Amino acid sequence: MSAPTATTTPTAPAVPEFSVIGGKAVHDVLAGHEPSILDVVRDAYLAHGEGQSVNPPSYFLRFPDRPDSRIIALPASLGGERPVDGIKWISSFPRNITSGLPRASAVLVLNDHDTGYPFACLESSIISATRTASSAALAARELHRDRERPRTVTFFGTGLIARYLFTHLQGTGWEFDEISIHDASREYADSFARHLADRTPAKIVVRESAEEALRASGLVVFATTAATPHIHDPAWFAHNPTVLHISLRDLDPEILRGSFNVLDDIEHCLKADTSPHLLEQATGNRDFVDGTLYDVLRSTVTVPQDRPVIFSPFGLGILDLAVGAHVYREATARGLAQPAPGFFHDLSRYA
């Protein structure tokens, strides 16, 4: 009979301390650091394109008594040198804006890669707006890597995302001679104009006509709450602008049919009746998709000069993780995170 084999008890992995990081700390970490955040977002897109991520579909909680509102869960996992898992829980209640509140509010939970234990909860409306704006600013930069940058920009929609996107364009080196603004609410348009006037020497014009606003600029930003297309005439794009189609449902599918289309993620963008999804339904194929932002970053597609260029980003949970993890590291290093000692109480399988 052979001797019994000695057994050892594996060492239990350490459970990370749980911390809460509030909105002011998030803002203090991110404000004024647009170039470095652009690098964080770029690295996340590269990791995603190289298969180092898990980014399942978003999950929508809708309400029969509040059909215009929703809360969305975005789970994700991001690999690379500093892997992290987590989920963003973001609400969209458009009626908030009538009382002066932002439409969206959010939290982000980060989970430890090795144990799965959550280690941080962060206020995430700022993180969400930052990653959205940085993603669009990254696309604008890369789409004009070999083309002259426009000196004119038009904003359709004047909410939080428009404000953050202007900041990220300006913070990453864009300079404009004229900024056009168009919004269904003249009050909101005028408020945004006053906001910009304190931050740029550019001429600011509030335009009543959507056609005039679109034709006025070489860079066009859609950051609206539109649920269905409201821009229908391809002729308005005859000057071949670059369009950052952040809100995804503003453009008639026929406009995309004649454009150079870049998506951040094909499977995510072609669902939920986005403008690209409507075009897929109309044509029965995806031939109109010319590439992804990863393809642009890797220079495997050539951006044309003779067509409108439209970037349609669905907004990926991995970007929230990337920016959120960056905030966590910086906030912890600066002493801005608020630890919650003993948050996990029963840590033994056999008490």
Side-chain angles (χ1 to χ4, degrees):
M1 180 181 293
S2 61
T5 303
T7 60
T8 58
T9 302
T11 303
V15 173
E17 181 177 67
F18 187 80
S19 298
V20 176
I21 302 175
K24 185 179 186 306
V26 173
H27 173 270
D28 290 348
V29 168
L30 294 176
H33 297 282
E34 292 81 15
S36 62
I37 300 305
L38 199 78
D39 290 339
V40 170
V41 169
R42 178 181 184 274
D43 289 346
Y45 273 122
L46 290 174
H48 182 62
E50 291 160 10
Q52 300 177 21
S53 66
V54 181
N55 205 107
S58 303
Y59 299 90
F60 288 74
L61 174 62
R62 300 186 183 276
F63 314 97
D65 62 327
R66 293 156 288 166
D68 61 339
S69 300
R70 63 189 186 272
I71 307 180
I72 313 169
L74 286 81
S77 176
L78 183 62
E81 294 183 2
R82 293 173 168 173
V84 64
D85 310 322
I87 187 168
K88 179 174 73 172
W89 181 240
I90 181 167
S91 66
S92 174
F93 279 54
R95 295 181 190 179
N96 284 350
I97 63 176
T98 62
S99 60
L101 280 176
R103 171 185 58 85
S105 58
V107 294
L108 175 69
V109 176
L110 301 179
N111 293 73
D112 179 60
H113 175 268
D114 295 326
T115 66
Y117 272 78
F119 63 87
C121 179
L122 301 88
E123 194 286 331
S124 197
S125 65
I126 296 172
I127 290 172
S128 187
T130 295
R131 64 84 153 155
T132 300
S134 190
S135 165
L138 173 66
R141 185 188 74 179
E142 296 301 315
L143 291 170
H144 290 89
R145 191 191 309 152
D146 301 315
R147 301 186 301 149
E148 184 178 356
R149 288 187 175 186
R151 302 279 304 187
T152 53
V153 62
T154 289
F155 286 90
F156 281 82
T158 56
L160 187 74
I161 298 301
R163 173 160 62 88
Y164 270 75
L165 185 46
F166 169 77
T167 299
H168 278 259
L169 288 171
Q170 186 181 60
T172 53
W174 287 76
E175 296 179 349
F176 300 108
D177 299 322
E178 182 175 286
I179 301 173
S180 295
I181 299 170
H182 179 77
D183 195 285
S185 166
R186 179 61 190 242
E187 178 185 357
Y188 297 159
D190 288 341
S191 295
F192 189 47
R194 290 191 294 271
H195 172 82
L196 294 181
D198 293 334
R199 292 161 175 80
T200 176
K203 178 183 178 181
I204 301 171
V205 183
V206 175
R207 300 188 184 274
E208 298 289 346
S209 162
E211 178 181 1
E212 181 185 3
L214 206 153
R215 291 183 182 272
S217 297
L219 180 66
V220 180
V221 177
F222 284 95
T224 75
T225 58
T228 57
H230 56 97
I231 303 294
H232 298 284
D233 192 344
W236 295 4
F237 297 78
H239 59 303
N240 298 326
T242 297
V243 180
L244 305 177
H245 189 204
I246 310 305
S247 36
L248 281 177
R249 295 172 177 85
D250 302 88
L251 304 180
D252 190 288
E254 286 303 310
I255 294 168
L256 274 66
R257 191 195 294 265
S259 302
F260 184 84
N261 292 288
V262 176
L263 314 183
D264 65 344
D265 183 280
I266 295 173
E267 295 301 327
H268 283 75
C269 284
L270 297 181
K271 62 180 58 175
D273 289 336
T274 64
S275 295
H277 187 210
L278 293 178
L279 183 53
E280 180 191 31
Q281 294 175 61
T283 61
N285 62 63
R286 300 178 173 186
D287 295 347
F288 62 91
V289 178
D290 295 288
T292 64
L293 183 53
Y294 175 78
D295 297 325
V296 176
L297 289 168
R298 287 303 192 200
S299 300
T300 58
V301 295
T302 301
V303 182
Q305 305 269 3
D306 59 350
R307 281 188 285 164
V309 175
I310 300 178
F311 175 58
S312 298
F314 192 83
L316 302 176
I318 58 164
L319 303 183
D320 297 286
L321 290 187
V323 176
H326 170 80
V327 170
Y328 171 79
R329 290 190 294 269
E330 288 293 316
T332 300
R334 299 184 198 180
L336 300 177
Q338 301 176 38
F343 186 84
F344 297 107
H345 173 63
D346 193 345
L347 294 176
S348 174
R349 287 191 65 197
Y350 306 106

